[in-house]
Amino acid sequence: MTEVDALSRGWSARAPHVLRAERLDLTQWRDGHHDGSLALGGVAWGLPRADVDVDADSGGLAALDTPLLGPTQPWVDAWLTRGGALRSGRSGSVQWRTDGHWAFGQLNLPEAQGSLEQAAYRAYRDVFAALEDCGCPQLLRLWNYLPRINADGGGLERYRQFNIGRQQAFMDAQRDPFDGAPAACALGTAGATPGGLSVRFLAGRLAPKPVENPRQVSAYRYSRAYGPRAPTFSRAALADAGGGQLALLVSGTASIVGEHSVHHGDVVAQTQETLRNLQAVIDSAHRGCSARYRLADLHPTVYVRHAADAVVVGQVLAQAEPSWRDAPCVQADICRADLLVEIEAHAFAPGALA
Ligand code: 3EB
């Protein structure tokens, strides 16, 4: 069930199907002035709940009602294409938009009945159906938001329930939940996410190159100490964005060394460890491509568990990387109860996969 959008502009001849990202305020998003590009979708933070109608066509805006911290204003990470025309459609619970080369999709799934495990399974089953329907079969990046992520879900933490359903959906769709898993993040909301479990994704036609972090056990190989089924994500993904550009999509990164959380209760040390992990992911990415990324070039999103920690986390980040002085920061629960901070990021640079 798809329909052709009326949106069409004459870009395709000159710069066909180039993916890029832009950080916009809400006015810029609504004005639609993206430099002649079309918006596949936008991951939005801090949008007033009243503005969010989960049943309506979102126009590509995937809103999250997470508290903004410090000087952070509402913003949209817009995923843009220079492709010629957009097609939009629905596959089960997923709304998607594509130019035929890149796709952005989103779903908000109420957990009406059944467990979060079942909701996760349904969500990912619909995501995989959407990928087929929109002709962009390869996942590049996922964003997962779960109400009350650390709460008990009947003998098992809800995040661990989510991991069971997610991994099973990958397996049933004949998608490898281990090597080659997409980049992702998984955060907890206070339950204010419109509609319950929220998943957003960016997809393309070609598989990205997964990136691991040698300081950390691959998440898809975590031991059973962290749940009966491992999480399904890689530490980052490198995707050819067209036009000679390479995108580095860095998963949620936290204070984990090996497979264990470190610096319990010390948000400063956790932030510093997270920075070391981000640098290790960049170094690891460099071994798989000719592009060169610096921490300063990354567009980070900072999640802190306790709003009161936002100031000190911001200070540590600004000291390590001055260009991160105003990094957007929101309150969210991290997927392990002992983690206080998590950072995700993306960047584009000229280069190619090795
Ligand atoms: C970690 O490294 C921290 O379940 O999709 C980071 C990124 C984390 C993605 C996910 C979880 C996920 O294990 C948590």
Side-chain angles (χ1 to χ4, degrees), residues 111-131:
E111 283 171 57
Q113 289 110 19
S115 62
L116 183 57
E117 175 186 328
Q118 289 168 315
Y121 184 86
R122 280 204 304 276
Y124 274 81
R125 186 197 58 195
D126 288 358
V127 166
F128 296 135
L131 298 178

mmCIF file with all atom_site columns, all heavy atoms in Angstrom, residues 111-131:
data_model
loop_
_atom_site.group_PDB
_atom_site.id
_atom_site.type_symbol
_atom_site.label_atom_id
_atom_site.label_alt_id
_atom_site.label_comp_id
_atom_site.label_asym_id
_atom_site.label_entity_id
_atom_site.label_seq_id
_atom_site.pdbx_PDB_ins_code
_atom_site.Cartn_x
_atom_site.Cartn_y
_atom_site.Cartn_z
_atom_site.occupancy
_atom_site.B_iso_or_equiv
_atom_site.pdbx_formal_charge
_atom_site.auth_seq_id
_atom_site.auth_comp_id
_atom_site.auth_asym_id
_atom_site.auth_atom_id
_atom_site.pdbx_PDB_model_num
ATOM 1   N N   . GLU A 1 111 ? 1.697  -1.241  23.741 1.00 0.00 ? 111 GLU A N   1
ATOM 2   C CA  . GLU A 1 111 ? 1.864  -2.595  24.299 1.00 0.00 ? 111 GLU A CA  1
ATOM 3   C C   . GLU A 1 111 ? 0.544  -3.054  24.877 1.00 0.00 ? 111 GLU A C   1
ATOM 4   O O   . GLU A 1 111 ? 0.510  -3.578  25.985 1.00 0.00 ? 111 GLU A O   1
ATOM 5   C CB  . GLU A 1 111 ? 2.861  -2.576  25.453 1.00 0.00 ? 111 GLU A CB  1
ATOM 6   C CG  . GLU A 1 111 ? 4.293  -2.502  25.090 1.00 0.00 ? 111 GLU A CG  1
ATOM 7   C CD  . GLU A 1 111 ? 5.125  -2.256  26.343 1.00 0.00 ? 111 GLU A CD  1
ATOM 8   O OE1 . GLU A 1 111 ? 5.049  -3.045  27.294 1.00 0.00 ? 111 GLU A OE1 1
ATOM 9   O OE2 . GLU A 1 111 ? 5.814  -1.232  26.379 1.00 0.00 ? 111 GLU A OE2 1
ATOM 10  N N   . ALA A 1 112 ? -0.524 -2.828  24.178 1.00 0.00 ? 112 ALA A N   1
ATOM 11  C CA  . ALA A 1 112 ? -1.863 -3.041  24.745 1.00 0.00 ? 112 ALA A CA  1
ATOM 12  C C   . ALA A 1 112 ? -1.943 -4.351  25.516 1.00 0.00 ? 112 ALA A C   1
ATOM 13  O O   . ALA A 1 112 ? -2.108 -4.371  26.723 1.00 0.00 ? 112 ALA A O   1
ATOM 14  C CB  . ALA A 1 112 ? -2.902 -2.994  23.641 1.00 0.00 ? 112 ALA A CB  1
ATOM 15  N N   . GLN A 1 113 ? -1.797 -5.424  24.794 1.00 0.00 ? 113 GLN A N   1
ATOM 16  C CA  . GLN A 1 113 ? -1.742 -6.709  25.471 1.00 0.00 ? 113 GLN A CA  1
ATOM 17  C C   . GLN A 1 113 ? -0.396 -7.340  25.195 1.00 0.00 ? 113 GLN A C   1
ATOM 18  O O   . GLN A 1 113 ? 0.292  -6.958  24.277 1.00 0.00 ? 113 GLN A O   1
ATOM 19  C CB  . GLN A 1 113 ? -2.835 -7.661  24.962 1.00 0.00 ? 113 GLN A CB  1
ATOM 20  C CG  . GLN A 1 113 ? -4.230 -7.293  25.376 1.00 0.00 ? 113 GLN A CG  1
ATOM 21  C CD  . GLN A 1 113 ? -5.035 -6.819  24.185 1.00 0.00 ? 113 GLN A CD  1
ATOM 22  O OE1 . GLN A 1 113 ? -4.685 -7.082  23.047 1.00 0.00 ? 113 GLN A OE1 1
ATOM 23  N NE2 . GLN A 1 113 ? -6.121 -6.128  24.465 1.00 0.00 ? 113 GLN A NE2 1
ATOM 24  N N   . GLY A 1 114 ? -0.081 -8.304  25.989 1.00 0.00 ? 114 GLY A N   1
ATOM 25  C CA  . GLY A 1 114 ? 1.149  -9.040  25.730 1.00 0.00 ? 114 GLY A CA  1
ATOM 26  C C   . GLY A 1 114 ? 2.353  -8.321  26.294 1.00 0.00 ? 114 GLY A C   1
ATOM 27  O O   . GLY A 1 114 ? 2.270  -7.238  26.855 1.00 0.00 ? 114 GLY A O   1
ATOM 28  N N   . SER A 1 115 ? 3.485  -8.932  26.093 1.00 0.00 ? 115 SER A N   1
ATOM 29  C CA  . SER A 1 115 ? 4.715  -8.463  26.717 1.00 0.00 ? 115 SER A CA  1
ATOM 30  C C   . SER A 1 115 ? 5.456  -7.527  25.773 1.00 0.00 ? 115 SER A C   1
ATOM 31  O O   . SER A 1 115 ? 5.158  -7.422  24.586 1.00 0.00 ? 115 SER A O   1
ATOM 32  C CB  . SER A 1 115 ? 5.588  -9.663  27.030 1.00 0.00 ? 115 SER A CB  1
ATOM 33  O OG  . SER A 1 115 ? 5.924  -10.309 25.811 1.00 0.00 ? 115 SER A OG  1
ATOM 34  N N   . LEU A 1 116 ? 6.464  -6.883  26.325 1.00 0.00 ? 116 LEU A N   1
ATOM 35  C CA  . LEU A 1 116 ? 7.343  -6.069  25.496 1.00 0.00 ? 116 LEU A CA  1
ATOM 36  C C   . LEU A 1 116 ? 8.088  -6.951  24.497 1.00 0.00 ? 116 LEU A C   1
ATOM 37  O O   . LEU A 1 116 ? 8.404  -6.520  23.393 1.00 0.00 ? 116 LEU A O   1
ATOM 38  C CB  . LEU A 1 116 ? 8.315  -5.297  26.387 1.00 0.00 ? 116 LEU A CB  1
ATOM 39  C CG  . LEU A 1 116 ? 9.249  -4.338  25.678 1.00 0.00 ? 116 LEU A CG  1
ATOM 40  C CD1 . LEU A 1 116 ? 8.484  -3.315  24.856 1.00 0.00 ? 116 LEU A CD1 1
ATOM 41  C CD2 . LEU A 1 116 ? 10.148 -3.636  26.686 1.00 0.00 ? 116 LEU A CD2 1
ATOM 42  N N   . GLU A 1 117 ? 8.353  -8.191  24.895 1.00 0.00 ? 117 GLU A N   1
ATOM 43  C CA  . GLU A 1 117 ? 8.986  -9.125  23.962 1.00 0.00 ? 117 GLU A CA  1
ATOM 44  C C   . GLU A 1 117 ? 8.140  -9.269  22.695 1.00 0.00 ? 117 GLU A C   1
ATOM 45  O O   . GLU A 1 117 ? 8.649  -9.205  21.575 1.00 0.00 ? 117 GLU A O   1
ATOM 46  C CB  . GLU A 1 117 ? 9.148  -10.499 24.641 1.00 0.00 ? 117 GLU A CB  1
ATOM 47  C CG  . GLU A 1 117 ? 9.692  -11.567 23.727 1.00 0.00 ? 117 GLU A CG  1
ATOM 48  C CD  . GLU A 1 117 ? 9.703  -12.953 24.388 1.00 0.00 ? 117 GLU A CD  1
ATOM 49  O OE1 . GLU A 1 117 ? 9.874  -13.035 25.618 1.00 0.00 ? 117 GLU A OE1 1
ATOM 50  O OE2 . GLU A 1 117 ? 9.536  -13.941 23.657 1.00 0.00 ? 117 GLU A OE2 1
ATOM 51  N N   . GLN A 1 118 ? 6.841  -9.425  22.888 1.00 0.00 ? 118 GLN A N   1
ATOM 52  C CA  . GLN A 1 118 ? 5.958  -9.554  21.722 1.00 0.00 ? 118 GLN A CA  1
ATOM 53  C C   . GLN A 1 118 ? 5.872  -8.260  20.921 1.00 0.00 ? 118 GLN A C   1
ATOM 54  O O   . GLN A 1 118 ? 5.846  -8.281  19.691 1.00 0.00 ? 118 GLN A O   1
ATOM 55  C CB  . GLN A 1 118 ? 4.560  -9.992  22.170 1.00 0.00 ? 118 GLN A CB  1
ATOM 56  C CG  . GLN A 1 118 ? 4.537  -11.432 22.653 1.00 0.00 ? 118 GLN A CG  1
ATOM 57  C CD  . GLN A 1 118 ? 3.245  -11.776 23.367 1.00 0.00 ? 118 GLN A CD  1
ATOM 58  O OE1 . GLN A 1 118 ? 2.767  -11.005 24.210 1.00 0.00 ? 118 GLN A OE1 1
ATOM 59  N NE2 . GLN A 1 118 ? 2.678  -12.921 23.047 1.00 0.00 ? 118 GLN A NE2 1
ATOM 60  N N   . ALA A 1 119 ? 5.833  -7.134  21.645 1.00 0.00 ? 119 ALA A N   1
ATOM 61  C CA  . ALA A 1 119 ? 5.788  -5.839  20.950 1.00 0.00 ? 119 ALA A CA  1
ATOM 62  C C   . ALA A 1 119 ? 7.058  -5.644  20.119 1.00 0.00 ? 119 ALA A C   1
ATOM 63  O O   . ALA A 1 119 ? 7.002  -5.182  18.977 1.00 0.00 ? 119 ALA A O   1
ATOM 64  C CB  . ALA A 1 119 ? 5.620  -4.703  21.954 1.00 0.00 ? 119 ALA A CB  1
ATOM 65  N N   . ALA A 1 120 ? 8.208  -6.009  20.693 1.00 0.00 ? 120 ALA A N   1
ATOM 66  C CA  . ALA A 1 120 ? 9.472  -5.867  19.956 1.00 0.00 ? 120 ALA A CA  1
ATOM 67  C C   . ALA A 1 120 ? 9.456  -6.756  18.720 1.00 0.00 ? 120 ALA A C   1
ATOM 68  O O   . ALA A 1 120 ? 9.889  -6.348  17.635 1.00 0.00 ? 120 ALA A O   1
ATOM 69  C CB  . ALA A 1 120 ? 10.645 -6.224  20.857 1.00 0.00 ? 120 ALA A CB  1
ATOM 70  N N   . TYR A 1 121 ? 8.950  -7.969  18.887 1.00 0.00 ? 121 TYR A N   1
ATOM 71  C CA  . TYR A 1 121 ? 8.903  -8.893  17.752 1.00 0.00 ? 121 TYR A CA  1
ATOM 72  C C   . TYR A 1 121 ? 8.027  -8.309  16.634 1.00 0.00 ? 121 TYR A C   1
ATOM 73  O O   . TYR A 1 121 ? 8.420  -8.275  15.466 1.00 0.00 ? 121 TYR A O   1
ATOM 74  C CB  . TYR A 1 121 ? 8.372  -10.261 18.196 1.00 0.00 ? 121 TYR A CB  1
ATOM 75  C CG  . TYR A 1 121 ? 8.405  -11.271 17.084 1.00 0.00 ? 121 TYR A CG  1
ATOM 76  C CD1 . TYR A 1 121 ? 9.549  -12.011 16.824 1.00 0.00 ? 121 TYR A CD1 1
ATOM 77  C CD2 . TYR A 1 121 ? 7.296  -11.452 16.241 1.00 0.00 ? 121 TYR A CD2 1
ATOM 78  C CE1 . TYR A 1 121 ? 9.606  -12.907 15.770 1.00 0.00 ? 121 TYR A CE1 1
ATOM 79  C CE2 . TYR A 1 121 ? 7.332  -12.347 15.185 1.00 0.00 ? 121 TYR A CE2 1
ATOM 80  C CZ  . TYR A 1 121 ? 8.489  -13.076 14.955 1.00 0.00 ? 121 TYR A CZ  1
ATOM 81  O OH  . TYR A 1 121 ? 8.544  -13.947 13.908 1.00 0.00 ? 121 TYR A OH  1
ATOM 82  N N   . ARG A 1 122 ? 6.841  -7.848  17.019 1.00 0.00 ? 122 ARG A N   1
ATOM 83  C CA  . ARG A 1 122 ? 5.932  -7.268  16.015 1.00 0.00 ? 122 ARG A CA  1
ATOM 84  C C   . ARG A 1 122 ? 6.553  -6.046  15.358 1.00 0.00 ? 122 ARG A C   1
ATOM 85  O O   . ARG A 1 122 ? 6.455  -5.853  14.144 1.00 0.00 ? 122 ARG A O   1
ATOM 86  C CB  . ARG A 1 122 ? 4.607  -6.877  16.675 1.00 0.00 ? 122 ARG A CB  1
ATOM 87  C CG  . ARG A 1 122 ? 3.661  -8.025  16.888 1.00 0.00 ? 122 ARG A CG  1
ATOM 88  C CD  . ARG A 1 122 ? 2.208  -7.530  16.979 1.00 0.00 ? 122 ARG A CD  1
ATOM 89  N NE  . ARG A 1 122 ? 2.043  -6.518  18.023 1.00 0.00 ? 122 ARG A NE  1
ATOM 90  C CZ  . ARG A 1 122 ? 1.849  -6.793  19.310 1.00 0.00 ? 122 ARG A CZ  1
ATOM 91  N NH1 . ARG A 1 122 ? 1.789  -8.046  19.709 1.00 0.00 ? 122 ARG A NH1 1
ATOM 92  N NH2 . ARG A 1 122 ? 1.697  -5.833  20.184 1.00 0.00 ? 122 ARG A NH2 1
ATOM 93  N N   . ALA A 1 123 ? 7.176  -5.202  16.165 1.00 0.00 ? 123 ALA A N   1
ATOM 94  C CA  . ALA A 1 123 ? 7.782  -3.977  15.634 1.00 0.00 ? 123 ALA A CA  1
ATOM 95  C C   . ALA A 1 123 ? 8.818  -4.326  14.561 1.00 0.00 ? 123 ALA A C   1
ATOM 96  O O   . ALA A 1 123 ? 8.806  -3.776  13.459 1.00 0.00 ? 123 ALA A O   1
ATOM 97  C CB  . ALA A 1 123 ? 8.421  -3.174  16.761 1.00 0.00 ? 123 ALA A CB  1
ATOM 98  N N   . TYR A 1 124 ? 9.697  -5.271  14.881 1.00 0.00 ? 124 TYR A N   1
ATOM 99  C CA  . TYR A 1 124 ? 10.762 -5.608  13.928 1.00 0.00 ? 124 TYR A CA  1
ATOM 100 C C   . TYR A 1 124 ? 10.237 -6.392  12.740 1.00 0.00 ? 124 TYR A C   1
ATOM 101 O O   . TYR A 1 124 ? 10.721 -6.229  11.618 1.00 0.00 ? 124 TYR A O   1
ATOM 102 C CB  . TYR A 1 124 ? 11.928 -6.305  14.652 1.00 0.00 ? 124 TYR A CB  1
ATOM 103 C CG  . TYR A 1 124 ? 12.857 -5.262  15.208 1.00 0.00 ? 124 TYR A CG  1
ATOM 104 C CD1 . TYR A 1 124 ? 12.582 -4.626  16.401 1.00 0.00 ? 124 TYR A CD1 1
ATOM 105 C CD2 . TYR A 1 124 ? 13.956 -4.836  14.466 1.00 0.00 ? 124 TYR A CD2 1
ATOM 106 C CE1 . TYR A 1 124 ? 13.395 -3.611  16.870 1.00 0.00 ? 124 TYR A CE1 1
ATOM 107 C CE2 . TYR A 1 124 ? 14.774 -3.826  14.932 1.00 0.00 ? 124 TYR A CE2 1
ATOM 108 C CZ  . TYR A 1 124 ? 14.500 -3.219  16.130 1.00 0.00 ? 124 TYR A CZ  1
ATOM 109 O OH  . TYR A 1 124 ? 15.297 -2.204  16.563 1.00 0.00 ? 124 TYR A OH  1
ATOM 110 N N   . ARG A 1 125 ? 9.223  -7.211  12.948 1.00 0.00 ? 125 ARG A N   1
ATOM 111 C CA  . ARG A 1 125 ? 8.589  -7.879  11.807 1.00 0.00 ? 125 ARG A CA  1
ATOM 112 C C   . ARG A 1 125 ? 8.060  -6.821  10.831 1.00 0.00 ? 125 ARG A C   1
ATOM 113 O O   . ARG A 1 125 ? 8.254  -6.919  9.617  1.00 0.00 ? 125 ARG A O   1
ATOM 114 C CB  . ARG A 1 125 ? 7.450  -8.764  12.322 1.00 0.00 ? 125 ARG A CB  1
ATOM 115 C CG  . ARG A 1 125 ? 6.797  -9.628  11.284 1.00 0.00 ? 125 ARG A CG  1
ATOM 116 C CD  . ARG A 1 125 ? 5.447  -10.135 11.797 1.00 0.00 ? 125 ARG A CD  1
ATOM 117 N NE  . ARG A 1 125 ? 4.578  -8.999  12.134 1.00 0.00 ? 125 ARG A NE  1
ATOM 118 C CZ  . ARG A 1 125 ? 3.465  -9.085  12.873 1.00 0.00 ? 125 ARG A CZ  1
ATOM 119 N NH1 . ARG A 1 125 ? 3.084  -10.229 13.375 1.00 0.00 ? 125 ARG A NH1 1
ATOM 120 N NH2 . ARG A 1 125 ? 2.749  -8.006  13.114 1.00 0.00 ? 125 ARG A NH2 1
ATOM 121 N N   . ASP A 1 126 ? 7.422  -5.775  11.373 1.00 0.00 ? 126 ASP A N   1
ATOM 122 C CA  . ASP A 1 126 ? 6.902  -4.705  10.515 1.00 0.00 ? 126 ASP A CA  1
ATOM 123 C C   . ASP A 1 126 ? 8.037  -3.907  9.868  1.00 0.00 ? 126 ASP A C   1
ATOM 124 O O   . ASP A 1 126 ? 7.916  -3.479  8.716  1.00 0.00 ? 126 ASP A O   1
ATOM 125 C CB  . ASP A 1 126 ? 6.002  -3.764  11.322 1.00 0.00 ? 126 ASP A CB  1
ATOM 126 C CG  . ASP A 1 126 ? 4.657  -4.405  11.678 1.00 0.00 ? 126 ASP A CG  1
ATOM 127 O OD1 . ASP A 1 126 ? 4.411  -5.555  11.262 1.00 0.00 ? 126 ASP A OD1 1
ATOM 128 O OD2 . ASP A 1 126 ? 3.854  -3.741  12.375 1.00 0.00 ? 126 ASP A OD2 1
ATOM 129 N N   . VAL A 1 127 ? 9.115  -3.682  10.604 1.00 0.00 ? 127 VAL A N   1
ATOM 130 C CA  . VAL A 1 127 ? 10.258 -2.973  10.022 1.00 0.00 ? 127 VAL A CA  1
ATOM 131 C C   . VAL A 1 127 ? 10.786 -3.750  8.820  1.00 0.00 ? 127 VAL A C   1
ATOM 132 O O   . VAL A 1 127 ? 11.023 -3.190  7.741  1.00 0.00 ? 127 VAL A O   1
ATOM 133 C CB  . VAL A 1 127 ? 11.382 -2.766  11.062 1.00 0.00 ? 127 VAL A CB  1
ATOM 134 C CG1 . VAL A 1 127 ? 12.688 -2.335  10.385 1.00 0.00 ? 127 VAL A CG1 1
ATOM 135 C CG2 . VAL A 1 127 ? 10.960 -1.735  12.115 1.00 0.00 ? 127 VAL A CG2 1
ATOM 136 N N   . PHE A 1 128 ? 10.935 -5.071  8.970  1.00 0.00 ? 128 PHE A N   1
ATOM 137 C CA  . PHE A 1 128 ? 11.473 -5.863  7.859  1.00 0.00 ? 128 PHE A CA  1
ATOM 138 C C   . PHE A 1 128 ? 10.506 -5.871  6.677  1.00 0.00 ? 128 PHE A C   1
ATOM 139 O O   . PHE A 1 128 ? 10.932 -5.832  5.517  1.00 0.00 ? 128 PHE A O   1
ATOM 140 C CB  . PHE A 1 128 ? 11.810 -7.282  8.325  1.00 0.00 ? 128 PHE A CB  1
ATOM 141 C CG  . PHE A 1 128 ? 12.918 -7.310  9.355  1.00 0.00 ? 128 PHE A CG  1
ATOM 142 C CD1 . PHE A 1 128 ? 12.820 -8.099  10.494 1.00 0.00 ? 128 PHE A CD1 1
ATOM 143 C CD2 . PHE A 1 128 ? 14.047 -6.524  9.186  1.00 0.00 ? 128 PHE A CD2 1
ATOM 144 C CE1 . PHE A 1 128 ? 13.839 -8.111  11.440 1.00 0.00 ? 128 PHE A CE1 1
ATOM 145 C CE2 . PHE A 1 128 ? 15.075 -6.523  10.128 1.00 0.00 ? 128 PHE A CE2 1
ATOM 146 C CZ  . PHE A 1 128 ? 14.965 -7.324  11.264 1.00 0.00 ? 128 PHE A CZ  1
ATOM 147 N N   . ALA A 1 129 ? 9.206  -5.893  6.953  1.00 0.00 ? 129 ALA A N   1
ATOM 148 C CA  . ALA A 1 129 ? 8.231  -5.804  5.863  1.00 0.00 ? 129 ALA A CA  1
ATOM 149 C C   . ALA A 1 129 ? 8.354  -4.455  5.164  1.00 0.00 ? 129 ALA A C   1
ATOM 150 O O   . ALA A 1 129 ? 8.305  -4.366  3.931  1.00 0.00 ? 129 ALA A O   1
ATOM 151 C CB  . ALA A 1 129 ? 6.814  -6.003  6.405  1.00 0.00 ? 129 ALA A CB  1
ATOM 152 N N   . ALA A 1 130 ? 8.529  -3.402  5.938  1.00 0.00 ? 130 ALA A N   1
ATOM 153 C CA  . ALA A 1 130 ? 8.654  -2.061  5.356  1.00 0.00 ? 130 ALA A CA  1
ATOM 154 C C   . ALA A 1 130 ? 9.880  -1.979  4.456  1.00 0.00 ? 130 ALA A C   1
ATOM 155 O O   . ALA A 1 130 ? 9.834  -1.371  3.380  1.00 0.00 ? 130 ALA A O   1
ATOM 156 C CB  . ALA A 1 130 ? 8.734  -1.009  6.465  1.00 0.00 ? 130 ALA A CB  1
ATOM 157 N N   . LEU A 1 131 ? 10.980 -2.594  4.881  1.00 0.00 ? 131 LEU A N   1
ATOM 158 C CA  . LEU A 1 131 ? 12.200 -2.548  4.077  1.00 0.00 ? 131 LEU A CA  1
ATOM 159 C C   . LEU A 1 131 ? 11.955 -3.171  2.707  1.00 0.00 ? 131 LEU A C   1
ATOM 160 O O   . LEU A 1 131 ? 12.431 -2.666  1.683  1.00 0.00 ? 131 LEU A O   1
ATOM 161 C CB  . LEU A 1 131 ? 13.342 -3.290  4.781  1.00 0.00 ? 131 LEU A CB  1
ATOM 162 C CG  . LEU A 1 131 ? 13.787 -2.732  6.130  1.00 0.00 ? 131 LEU A CG  1
ATOM 163 C CD1 . LEU A 1 131 ? 14.892 -3.601  6.712  1.00 0.00 ? 131 LEU A CD1 1
ATOM 164 C CD2 . LEU A 1 131 ? 14.255 -1.302  6.003  1.00 0.00 ? 131 LEU A CD2 1
#
